[in-house]
Amino acid sequence: MAKRRQKKRTHVKLSEDQIKKIPKSMVIHLGSALQNHSLTQLVRDTRNLMQPHTAINLRERKNNKLKDFVVMAGPLGVSQLMVFSQSEDTGSTHLRMSSMPRGPTITFKIHEYSLCRDVAKILKTPKSVSRQAPEFTMPPLLVMNGFKNPKESEMHEKLLVTMFQQMFPPVSPQHTKVDTIRRQKLKM
């Protein structure tokens, strides 16, 4: 019987060291956010944004605490934790980003956001994107624009830059194929 051919150019297996270097993330929401449907959709959109190295089908329960997710982050190899929460009294939405296992943690207050379905409604020809689309097989590219030179910037700007850079795997311009870059850029 003939030996089965193995593809070597397109199906290159990563070594264990390379797999450990890839940052993995977990996007969760806690507290009263479980009843807020628009915030639940924002969490789903953020999970899709962070594909392929994030927990897409993560299920939260009302009795889950942040400690439950932090404890499970170690065995699962999670290096970034993004927590969405909404305060019950003021209704303000917050995003906490944390590097695992020991921090640092950055907190953002979210003033406004647009969901993917809202953006698709206003487009003349919306593109239907599923979770298994080719856009989500490669991690997103992070372009840091508008920040000062790290040598001249303040400590909080350096912290922000390094946190955002550690969320995504580094890109090697020599080895990255242009046709694998499929996601559109967003203007902010």
Side-chain angles (χ1 to χ4, degrees), residues 27-36 39-40 43 47 58-70 81-88 92-94 96:
V27 181
I28 58 175
H29 58 100
L30 296 174
S32 65
L34 295 173
Q35 288 84 27
N36 187 344
L39 190 58
T40 303
V43 170
R47 286 178 185 165
L58 185 66
R59 301 282 186 245
E60 299 97 352
R61 294 187 180 94
K62 287 183 181 180
N63 58 355
N64 282 125
K65 304 288 184 213
L66 182 59
K67 186 177 180 180
D68 299 334
F69 295 105
V70 172
L81 189 65
M82 299 174 71
V83 181
F84 286 91
S85 62
Q86 187 173 27
S87 63
E88 295 178 10
S92 60
T93 306
H94 296 276
R96 284 184 285 174

Side-chain angles (χ1 to χ4, degrees), residues 19-142:
I19 291 173
K20 288 181 182 177
K21 289 181 182 178
I22 295 174
K24 295 183 178 111
S25 63
M26 190 182 292
V27 181
I28 58 175
H29 58 100
L30 296 174
S32 65
L34 295 173
Q35 288 84 27
N36 187 344
H37 296 293
S38 65
L39 190 58
T40 303
Q41 187 62 41
L42 177 65
V43 170
R44 284 190 199 130
D45 290 345
T46 307
R47 286 178 185 165
N48 280 338
L49 170 82
M50 300 297 289
Q51 277 193 42
H53 304 294
T54 191
I56 295 295
N57 297 322
L58 185 66
R59 301 282 186 245
E60 299 97 352
R61 294 187 180 94
K62 287 183 181 180
N63 58 355
N64 282 125
K65 304 288 184 213
L66 182 59
K67 186 177 180 180
D68 299 334
F69 295 105
V70 172
V71 167
M72 288 307 300
L76 295 175
V78 174
S79 60
Q80 303 293 325
L81 189 65
M82 299 174 71
V83 181
F84 286 91
S85 62
Q86 187 173 27
S87 63
E88 295 178 10
D89 50 344
T90 61
S92 60
T93 306
H94 296 276
L95 167 65
R96 284 184 285 174
M97 295 172 44
S98 177
S99 289
M100 301 305 288
R102 299 198 191 282
T105 302
I106 301 174
T107 304
F108 297 99
K109 183 175 182 180
I110 301 173
H111 295 286
E112 300 180 330
Y113 59 89
S114 297
L115 302 174
C116 288
R117 67 176 179 215
D118 298 333
V119 174
K121 283 181 186 177
I122 63 170
L123 293 175
K124 289 182 180 179
T125 56
K127 183 178 180 184
S128 176
V129 180
S130 67
R131 289 184 181 176
Q132 290 81 21
E135 287 88 1
F136 298 116
T137 58
M138 299 295 290
L141 296 177
L142 177 68

